[in-house]
Amino acid sequence: MAAGLNSEYMALCLVLMISSFGLCLVSTHAELRRFEQPAKTDGTLSFLVLGDWGRKGAFNQSEVALQMGRIGEKLDIDFVVSTGDNFYDDGLTSEQDKAFEESFTQIYTAKSLQKQWYSVLGNHDYRGNAEAQLSLHLRKIDSRWLCLRSFIVDAELAEIFFVDTTPFVQSYFTDAEGHTYDWRGIGSPRAYIANLIKDLKLALSESSAKWKIVVGHHSIRSIGHHGDTKELVSKLLPILKANKVDFYMNGHDHCLEHIGDAESPIQFLTSGAGSKAWRGDIKKQKTGGLKFFYDGQGFMSVQLTRDAAEIAFYDVSGNVLHRWTATKSLYASI
């Protein structure tokens, strides 16, 4: 993001850059920027969720993209959510990095995918030039792209709260394992996390949306390679439960996964299989609440009405691997 741009100019630029999708940036009392995403005329909403994907088409990324296009057309999707780790192995080098077009623009070419993409940063994105992915310059190259650290999408029927989870993970600061992270814009991680939690709590408490969805890169619950993220379990999960969040969606583990919570209605949904997957890497000792797990490539779809939700997971061939539905009245009583 270009240095020296004040917040008013940034907000104006964001409105201009995303106006082609019918979106509007609106003010909010909290620090989290809020975007309005119109639902369909019948009030329903549908979108795809993809994570851990940017490999210039390799590791079946192109094949997953092909099936996303097919399912996206069938469901008449409104937008796409990216759960982070957008560009491998180490994010983008700059705003001019050709990997942006080689891993995004030239891969997701289907007509149905020419919708707004809402993206968060993953830990691999922070290993490169994290600011580059937030840059207005990328939106000039491909206007579908919208990536911020944390923000809110108001889709009428649902509010989706995107949370920057990488700074929560202490080991990235204390034991980086030879990696270099771009912490510009973070400052003190303790203060950054405290402010983010404060803003998220306020936004969730004020939300009157029928469905509340939180998106982050790191898992709260997972039996995959990384497993549960302890910092999110202690700092984020209590807030989600207290504010009756319906779904937490993440990537990070390169799998597709659905875990229910024993103490609340929240469903933990992992969609981190956009390219390279990890076969057989399962923490079998933590299977409580597990409804579905798949260690291959694929993606997830979400369909919402005022009264019902349908979640589906697809493999690299577009086959439905797992489908879960719930009515809001029943769901609220679980």
Side-chain angles (χ1 to χ4, degrees), residues 26-332:
V26 296
S27 63
T28 176
H29 293 298
E31 291 297 322
L32 300 179
R33 289 175 180 155
R34 183 182 296 268
F35 299 88
E36 290 185 343
Q37 166 70 56
K40 297 182 179 66
T41 54
D42 63 0
T44 63
L45 191 70
S46 60
F47 57 95
L48 302 182
V49 183
L50 176 75
D52 304 78
W53 42 269
R55 297 183 186 270
K56 302 180 182 179
F59 295 97
N60 283 340
Q61 183 193 1
S62 294
E63 287 74 10
V64 171
L66 179 66
Q67 296 304 323
M68 286 177 63
R70 185 176 67 83
I71 300 301
E73 180 179 5
K74 180 180 179 180
L75 301 184
D76 187 22
I77 61 168
D78 299 289
F79 54 89
V80 178
V81 166
S82 171
T83 59
D85 276 3
N86 306 313
F87 303 98
Y88 282 95
D89 280 326
D90 297 314
L92 298 178
T93 59
S94 70
E95 298 174 358
Q96 289 76 35
D97 192 336
K98 292 299 182 183
F100 176 72
E101 294 174 82
E102 293 168 349
S103 288
F104 178 60
T105 302
Q106 296 170 13
I107 301 297
Y108 303 102
T109 57
K111 183 178 179 181
S112 67
L113 303 181
Q114 306 309 303
K115 305 291 178 68
Q116 191 69 55
W117 284 56
Y118 296 108
S119 306
V120 290
L121 296 172
N123 54 301
H124 281 267
D125 300 312
Y126 267 100
R127 291 178 187 175
N129 185 334
E131 296 282 330
Q133 291 195 47
L134 312 179
S135 170
L136 294 171
H137 179 74
L138 296 189
R139 298 184 195 116
K140 294 178 182 178
I141 298 173
D142 193 323
S143 60
R144 293 178 293 171
W145 184 254
L146 199 161
C147 181
L148 298 174
R149 296 187 194 277
S150 299
F151 60 103
I152 302 168
V153 173
D154 182 351
E156 300 178 14
L157 187 64
E159 279 193 318
I160 309 176
F161 304 82
F162 292 79
V163 178
D164 183 19
T165 60
T166 301
F168 281 78
V169 181
Q170 187 176 2
S171 63
Y172 296 148
F173 295 90
T174 60
D175 183 17
E177 298 180 341
H179 300 292
T180 300
Y181 289 85
D182 180 8
W183 296 125
R184 290 175 298 166
I186 301 301
S188 163
R190 184 185 297 272
Y192 180 83
I193 293 168
N195 288 330
L196 177 52
I197 288 175
K198 178 188 69 175
D199 293 342
L200 180 63
K201 288 173 68 174
L202 176 62
L204 283 170
S205 67
E206 291 181 341
S207 175
S208 59
K210 194 72 174 179
W211 301 94
K212 295 181 184 180
I213 302 170
V214 175
V215 175
H217 177 64
H218 294 78
S219 58
I220 293 179
R221 290 288 317 282
S222 173
I223 66 165
H225 174 78
H226 295 294
D228 300 353
T229 306
K230 62 181 181 180
E231 294 89 348
L232 299 186
V233 171
S234 63
K235 293 183 173 68
L236 188 59
L237 183 55
I239 298 169
L240 306 192
K241 288 183 176 181
N243 289 280
K244 296 180 172 60
V245 168
D246 298 287
F247 306 113
Y248 178 75
M249 302 177 180
N250 62 274
H252 198 45
D253 273 333
H254 294 192
C255 61
L256 302 173
E257 187 175 16
H258 177 193
I259 297 177
D261 187 63
E263 301 174 353
S264 74
I266 189 170
Q267 304 295 307
F268 302 101
L269 305 169
T270 297
S271 183
S275 57
K276 188 176 183 179
W278 299 328
R279 288 287 190 183
D281 199 345
I282 304 172
K283 290 179 169 57
K284 295 183 179 180
Q285 72 275 20
K286 291 188 175 183
T287 57
L290 182 67
K291 299 178 184 294
F292 165 74
F293 179 87
Y294 177 66
D295 55 357
Q297 292 106 342
F299 59 99
M300 181 175 79
S301 70
V302 180
Q303 295 176 271
L304 300 174
T305 69
R306 287 193 60 81
D307 301 316
E310 179 176 302
I311 308 295
F313 291 89
Y314 306 83
D315 68 11
V316 69
S317 299
N319 301 310
V320 177
L321 301 173
H322 172 69
R323 193 186 302 275
W324 182 84
T325 60
T327 60
K328 190 63 174 177
S329 55
L330 173 63
Y331 186 71

